[in-house]
Structure formats: structure tokens, C-alpha cells
Amino acid sequence: MFRNLIDFARQVRRSEDVKNALNTPGRLALHARQRLNRGHFCIEIRANSGFFSVMQIVLCILLYCEEKRLTPVISARGGSYGDPQGKIDWLAECFENLAPSIMPQGQRPGLRTSVVRDLGDLGFRRYETGLGLARASTLFLSHYRPGESIREEVERISERLDIGASTLGVHFRGTDKKFEAHTIDWTAFCQLVEKALADDHRLTHIFVSSDEQAFLDFFRKWGFAVPVNVAPATLLASGDKPVHFSGHPGLAIAREALVASLLLARCGHLIKTPSYLSAWSKIFNPSLRVRLAVPPRENAFWFPDSQIWTEQLERESDLVNPEIDIAPFDSSFPGTAGAAANAGTLPRSLDI
């Protein structure tokens, strides 16, 4: 009973109707303040959500600025990945801004910066509705690229582990994700990986990433017919707590998350459970073949996984032989019985 009450409280906390009602006055004040910047949209993100949840905020700000013909000036401080004093712009630590006309923070006389915690503070949920993967990739990568040291690290690891077109990438998001995605048994997930290897003999080895050490131990002991390499992450989750709530140094967690996503993006094929981290691999590499083992839940049917799942169902419906099941699912999953068509009306949140 007590556990059910906790789950119910979490659902209420994540309810977009509640958030929108509470955020309306502040949202109106924010946009009034930003209109004074006359052509610039200056936002500082201070979020306690996951790394790629913050990237979702950045992406939606870019969409808004493109629509309104504004110059985005975005920083991310404090929260799970910055220092407590908020002095470090950890977004700038992770990404290079490809708009050189943007002046550094200390050289913006007269520009007013607004602080936000999530998309609800901006009223930008609508930008996720109907957003395509190709457009999201083009827009984000036209403004940002990973920092030079991160690109070099990804290159070194890729060469050492031979990550490329012959690599089957695997990502399993554990811990608290069960509240936002349908779960899959570890055995069933490994069987799904085995099937992918059997169906495509070009895949000669596996690169697996997860926030859950117990799953990694299970996966390595499964006995796949090809070699298995584990992502070189050292900062994992603690029990049911996500990585970004497990007490690790913020910038180190951010770097590991970004490196893991970029490495998965280099694989020839990716099998995953719902997660912003591995979904963003598709944004970093739009040509990446991705298979979702299970869909997000209806109350968490968020982009990019919502689009990945919808496109996956559309591809399967076009198959000449639809008898091959890639993953077990029932009619209550999003994307079946018309749920995918109504995805734009579903509530959204920013917990990774």
C-alpha cells in the first residue's frame, strides 16, 4: 500500500496539467522579460533532471528561436551537472557553440537572462509534438557539436573497441525508468539481442551500455556467440536512484553520458530500452538503425523515443511477413490501437 502511494505521488508530481497551472504566471513574466532583449533569447537552465533531458530543453529553445527568428543564448548551470555556486556553464564545457557571433556571457551588456528548470517554465511542450528526428538532428547539430576533448575520447574508444558498422550497440536503462517505460525481462532482452545477431551476420561484436551494474553482469555472462565490450563508464547508478542522483561529480557524469551516447551513435545497429541517452544517439547519427525493445508508457510518450517507436511500428506494418515479433507487447502499449496517432496529446515530463 505504501509503495502504491509513493508511485501515485510521483505521477502527480510529473503531471503536466499540474505543472502548467503552477507555471503560468512565471512563464508569462519570462517571455515579457525576453521581449526586452530585442532579437536575443537568453536562457539559463538550472535543472535537476538527466543530461539529455536538459538537451531536450536546449532543442526546444532552438526550435522556438528558429520560429521567431531570434538568436539563442543558452547556458546550463548548477543542477545535477554543474557546481553548487552555478559558476560553471556545463553546457559550454560539453559542447562547442557553432554560432561564433554569440558573445560570451560576460560581454552581453543589456541582455536579460531568464532562469528555467524545465520546459514547463518556457511553455515549449508543443515543440516536441510532431517533431521529426531528421529535423531535430539538423537543427541541433547546426548549433552545437561535442567539445574537442570529448570528440577525441570518443575516437580513442571507438578505435580501441572497433566500434563501427559491424557493431551491435545495446543500451539498457534501469533504475527508476520502470515508471516511464514498459519493462522487459533481462532474459527476453538478451534473446532479442541474439535474434538481431542471427538476422544480420554483418554484426560481429557487441557494445553494451547501461546504468545498472547487475544487468551488465548478467549480460556478460549470457554467452553470446560474438565478443561483448562494455562501455567504459565508472559512474553508475546507486540502487534505484538514477546516476545523476547518486552523488557523483556533476561534470564527470555529464561527460560519461555524452560519450556513451556518441559511442552508441557510431554502431551499425542499436537495440535499446526507452531512454533519452540512447534516443539522442539517433539525433547524433540520423542514419543509425534503432530498435526499441519496449515502448515508453502512455504518460511518458516523449520525443525522441516516441518517434522511434512510431516509425518502428510503421515499418513493421509494411513488412510482407508480419509474423516476426521483435519484442513482446500488448494492445495497451503506445502506438497500438491508435495510441501513436494521439501521441501529441499525451502528457510529457523531463525526467530521464
Side-chain angles (χ1 to χ4, degrees):
M1 174 64 72
F2 182 69
R3 184 65 180 178
N4 291 337
L5 289 174
I6 293 177
D7 292 349
F8 177 74
R10 286 182 176 178
Q11 292 175 6
V12 170
R13 177 176 62 86
R14 294 173 179 177
S15 169
E16 294 306 321
D17 290 337
V18 173
K19 288 182 179 180
N20 285 335
L22 294 175
N23 288 339
T24 298
R27 185 165 59 244
L28 294 174
L30 181 149
H31 285 280
R33 177 182 177 84
Q34 287 304 308
R35 279 193 290 272
L36 299 174
N37 284 329
R38 297 186 179 184
H40 289 80
F41 195 69
C42 305
I43 300 297
E44 180 181 302
I45 304 169
R46 286 183 178 258
N48 287 316
S49 51
F51 181 88
F52 287 99
S53 295
V54 177
M55 293 304 101
Q56 293 282 107
I57 302 175
V58 173
L59 177 60
C60 289
I61 292 173
L62 296 178
L63 284 164
Y64 174 78
C65 289
E66 180 184 62
E67 178 186 288
K68 302 298 183 182
R69 298 184 179 179
L70 300 172
T71 299
V73 182
I74 310 171
S75 60
R77 300 175 185 276
S80 300
Y81 303 102
D83 59 304
Q85 296 77 28
K87 295 181 179 180
I88 299 173
D89 178 2
W90 60 262
L91 179 65
E93 294 288 323
C94 294
F95 290 94
E96 294 176 3
N97 194 320
L98 300 179
S101 62
I102 299 298
M103 295 178 292
Q105 181 81 29
Q107 301 177 24
R108 298 171 188 158
L111 292 185
R112 300 159 176 83
T113 299
S114 298
V115 177
V116 302
R117 296 161 300 169
D118 58 28
L119 281 179
D121 289 345
L122 291 160
F124 286 176
R125 301 290 183 198
R126 66 187 184 278
Y127 289 106
E128 290 184 307
T129 303
L131 181 60
L133 292 163
R135 185 188 178 203
S137 177
T138 299
L139 181 64
F140 185 83
L141 296 179
S142 68
H143 285 80
Y144 293 99
R145 69 176 177 180
E148 182 178 4
S149 66
I150 291 175
R151 298 198 307 270
E152 291 174 349
E153 181 178 352
V154 170
E155 190 66 37
R156 287 195 301 270
I157 296 173
S158 295
E159 290 182 2
R160 177 165 58 86
L161 300 181
D162 193 26
I163 298 175
S166 62
T167 308
L168 175 60
V170 174
H171 183 242
F172 187 90
R173 172 70 161 86
T175 62
D176 66 338
K177 197 62 180 179
K178 59 182 176 290
F179 299 110
E180 299 169 0
H182 292 275
T183 58
I184 181 171
D185 178 81
W186 291 357
T187 296
F189 187 79
C190 290
Q191 290 171 342
L192 175 61
V193 172
E194 281 188 324
K195 187 178 188 310
L197 292 170
D199 289 344
D200 189 348
H201 294 290
R202 295 171 298 179
L203 301 171
T204 60
H205 54 285
I206 297 171
F207 173 75
V208 59
S209 176
S210 177
D211 61 337
E212 194 167 321
Q213 185 62 53
F215 168 80
L216 291 172
D217 294 339
F218 181 89
F219 191 88
R220 283 184 293 188
K221 293 178 181 177
W222 180 261
F224 292 102
V226 300
V228 176
N229 292 316
V230 178
T234 59
L235 307 175
L236 300 179
S238 175
D240 285 338
K241 291 182 179 180
V243 173
H244 53 285
F245 292 151
S246 296
H248 302 304
L251 281 176
I253 308 171
R255 187 182 182 95
E256 281 201 354
L258 181 54
V259 167
S261 183
L262 292 168
L263 289 171
L264 291 170
R266 289 193 168 211
C267 296
H269 189 190
L270 173 61
I271 294 178
K272 64 189 280 320
T273 57
S275 166
Y276 276 145
L277 184 151
S278 48
W280 266 73
S281 298
K282 180 71 172 176
I283 291 179
F284 290 131
N285 177 13
S287 63
L288 177 66
R289 292 183 296 150
V290 181
R291 169 67 60 181
L292 262 174
V294 289
R297 294 189 185 277
E298 289 188 3
N299 65 344
F301 204 61
W302 311 319
F303 183 87
D305 275 329
S306 61
Q307 188 67 23
I308 292 173
W309 179 255
T310 299
E311 292 182 3
Q312 179 173 310
L313 290 180
E314 290 173 351
R315 287 195 305 271
E316 290 178 355
S317 68
D318 292 336
L319 291 177
V320 176
N321 181 8
E323 297 177 355
I324 301 176
D325 288 329
I326 300 301
F329 64 92
D330 60 44
S331 60
S332 66
F333 281 1
T336 60
N342 298 323
T345 64
L346 294 172
R348 300 167 183 270
S349 95
L350 280 174
D351 292 324
I352 190 169

